[in-house]
Amino acid sequence: MSFHLPRKWLTISFFIFLYFFNLGILSTAHAQNVSFDHPWKLLEKHRQNILNISSDKEALKFGQTFIPHQRPTQPTPTHRKPSRGRQASHPIPQEIQTSITTFLAAMATIGYVQQFRTVPEASVTAQLFPQIFPPDSELQWIFSKPSLDGFKDFVRFQKALSSWPKQEPEGGAQDNDFFQFAKFYDQIALNSDSQMWIRLFTDLGVQGLQSRLEEYWQQHAPQDLQQPISDSQKQSSIQHYVESRLFPIFHAHLLTQALQIEVQAYDVAWNTWHQIQEWQQQEQTNHAMMRLCGTWKWIIHNHQNHGDHKTTMTFISPNQSTPSQVQPSSILIHGDTVYLKWTFPQGIQEDSLLLSNRDSRLEGTFTNSLGPHGSISGNRLSPCRD
């Protein structure tokens, strides 16, 4: 059995390496677009806080620490009634709330699995397993996420191991008696497949394993044994066999499960993080559009011919799908600084502007890929219509 485990280990470990390597490439490629901490840094910085989450409510509250709220829009002049969309931010949609809670549950799963993988194999005993368990409330919260269902089987197996009764070795047990006992079950395992003990323990637990090991004395008449064996000596042989032969097998099984679960959890975390990021970026775009939303009187001065061009610009709200005139292909607002990019069949134009006077004035410059460049000044004529 131990012959097959290292090869499987190597395969899974290599897959993990490739997976993380690809994640590294992706994270580098998207670094310029991320407006808050990278998810793996979030786990590193707030590991204990994430491991303490036990409900969607707590997860959403913690989510406020890495999903920044939009800065309140600058108020419109007092003689104009502000748009309802400019008075308050929209609540987080239910699907994004689900993404946030699932993301944090995946991060907690990764944290618990990483804790388990730090336990040295040489020190694994039944007494170590309970120290790794999170509280039941936190476990049930993670179990409620269908995308992380593999974690439930992992914990169930781990808890079953922790319930194995610990007993002190019986001093009266003869070495040769245990040798014959161990040889009997080693031969059975050799003739069976490598998952025999794992399946038995998964299906029937401690009691099933105990009953299976007690069959040795049921299949041997007393005269076959060198001397009578007491119940305590039988239990001592079972205990010693489980700890010396089966615990390493069970531990290797759990480590294999842990690696698979960690890959699954990383995949869930990355997908939900991407959904949160896309929503956040859309919210930022909508916020920017609402600050500009309305009708403006623009005066454009072209330095090429020193001519002024007056026009009326109408910026639509995010909810409006049929603009009456061409809209910028990109709108970015940082503080009061506004960047607009216009894309035309002949080329592009970029405007660098500054909002002032409670978002009622715009001042700045423009450059056009065809050559024109100059200044822009604008006054808001009317607020956005809902």
Side-chain angles (χ1 to χ4, degrees):
M1 183 179 299
S2 60
F3 175 80
H4 297 286
L5 288 173
R7 179 173 297 180
K8 187 173 183 180
W9 263 83
L10 289 174
T11 302
I12 295 173
S13 300
F14 182 67
F15 175 68
I16 287 274
F17 170 78
L18 290 180
Y19 187 83
F20 291 152
F21 179 76
N22 289 332
L23 283 182
I25 295 175
L26 287 172
S27 64
T28 302
H30 291 289
Q32 298 302 320
N33 297 324
V34 177
S35 57
F36 35 91
D37 286 342
H38 195 279
W40 320 135
K41 292 182 179 178
L42 185 71
L43 179 60
E44 179 182 345
K45 184 177 180 180
H46 300 285
R47 177 179 294 270
Q48 197 54 52
N49 289 331
I50 292 174
L51 295 182
N52 288 338
I53 296 174
S54 60
S55 67
D56 285 351
K57 182 178 180 181
E58 292 178 8
L60 292 172
K61 182 178 180 181
F62 178 77
Q64 297 174 5
T65 64
F66 67 91
I67 300 180
H69 294 289
Q70 296 291 348
R71 190 173 72 108
T73 305
Q74 295 292 334
T76 53
T78 55
H79 63 276
R80 295 191 181 99
K81 181 180 179 180
S83 164
R84 286 198 302 270
R86 296 164 59 86
Q87 288 178 330
S89 60
H90 296 289
I92 299 177
Q94 182 59 50
E95 60 270 21
I96 300 303
Q97 292 187 34
T98 300
S99 294
I100 294 170
T101 56
T102 303
F103 166 75
L104 288 172
M107 299 299 277
T109 300
I110 294 169
Y112 287 129
V113 169
Q114 288 177 345
Q115 283 185 356
F116 174 80
R117 292 200 291 106
T118 61
V119 177
E121 182 177 359
S123 63
V124 171
T125 67
Q127 275 57 50
L128 278 178
F129 290 109
Q131 301 177 17
I132 305 170
F133 292 147
D136 284 342
S137 59
E138 295 166 23
L139 277 179
Q140 294 306 317
W141 173 63
I142 296 175
F143 292 167
S144 70
K145 309 303 176 186
S147 56
L148 299 168
D149 53 359
F151 187 60
K152 183 183 294 185
D153 294 334
F154 172 78
V155 171
R156 185 183 294 115
F157 194 96
Q158 195 179 352
K159 279 194 170 185
L161 277 178
S162 72
S163 66
W164 181 263
K166 177 65 175 177
Q167 294 183 355
E168 293 299 325
E170 175 65 39
Q174 298 296 317
D175 291 342
N176 193 58
D177 291 333
F178 175 76
F179 174 78
Q180 295 299 326
F181 172 82
K183 181 180 178 181
F184 176 78
Y185 284 108
D186 288 347
Q187 188 65 36
I188 292 176
L190 185 62
N191 295 333
S192 182
D193 65 278
S194 60
Q195 299 295 308
M196 181 193 74
W197 293 115
I198 294 171
R199 283 199 308 271
L200 177 66
F201 192 71
T202 300
D203 296 339
L204 302 178
V206 171
Q207 190 57 47
L209 192 60
Q210 179 87 16
S211 299
R212 182 70 179 87
L213 291 171
E214 287 175 352
E215 291 176 4
Y216 171 76
W217 292 283
Q218 298 170 8
Q219 297 181 26
H220 289 76
Q223 59 269 22
D224 296 334
L225 304 175
Q226 290 188 350
Q227 62 181 24
I229 302 295
S230 66
D231 288 342
S232 61
Q233 289 174 331
K234 292 176 182 179
Q235 188 57 44
S236 180
S237 293
I238 292 174
Q239 183 80 22
H240 185 47
Y241 188 81
V242 169
E243 292 190 358
S244 63
R245 300 290 208 280
L246 301 189
F247 264 36
I249 294 172
F250 293 156
H251 185 246
H253 171 69
L254 281 172
L255 284 174
T256 300
Q257 273 194 317
L259 288 171
Q260 294 169 340
I261 292 166
E262 194 168 355
V263 170
Q264 179 193 34
Y266 268 112
D267 189 53
V268 171
W270 187 258
N271 288 336
T272 50
W273 174 264
H274 185 63
Q275 294 166 7
I276 297 168
Q277 184 183 354
E278 283 188 336
W279 169 77
Q280 179 70 10
Q281 291 172 343
Q282 186 60 51
E283 284 290 291
Q284 292 172 345
T285 299
N286 293 346
H287 176 72
M289 292 177 68
M290 288 306 301
R291 289 191 70 181
L292 288 178
C293 186
T295 302
W296 297 74
K297 178 181 179 181
W298 274 23
I299 299 177
I300 304 172
H301 179 77
N302 188 342
H303 288 332
Q304 275 192 330
N305 54 26
H306 301 288
D308 289 336
H309 176 69
K310 297 180 181 180
T311 185
T312 300
M313 299 294 301
T314 300
F315 295 99
I316 63 171
S317 71
N319 299 324
Q320 187 176 343
S321 57
T322 55
S324 58
Q325 61 181 220
V326 176
Q327 298 291 298
S329 57
S330 180
I331 300 176
L332 300 176
I333 293 184
H334 183 71
D336 292 328
T337 303
V338 181
Y339 167 80
L340 304 178
K341 181 178 180 180
W342 307 79
T343 304
F344 306 108
Q346 300 85 359
I348 63 171
Q349 178 173 307
E350 296 176 296
D351 304 340
S352 299
L353 309 168
L354 187 67
L355 279 164
S356 62
N357 197 22
R358 299 160 65 96
D359 285 3
S360 64
R361 284 192 58 81
L362 272 171
E363 302 284 348
T365 61
F366 76 93
T367 58
N368 192 293
S369 60
L370 298 180
H373 61 284
S375 61
I376 295 175
S377 62
N379 289 294
R380 188 191 292 273
L381 297 178
S382 61
C384 187
R385 296 178 181 178
D386 293 335

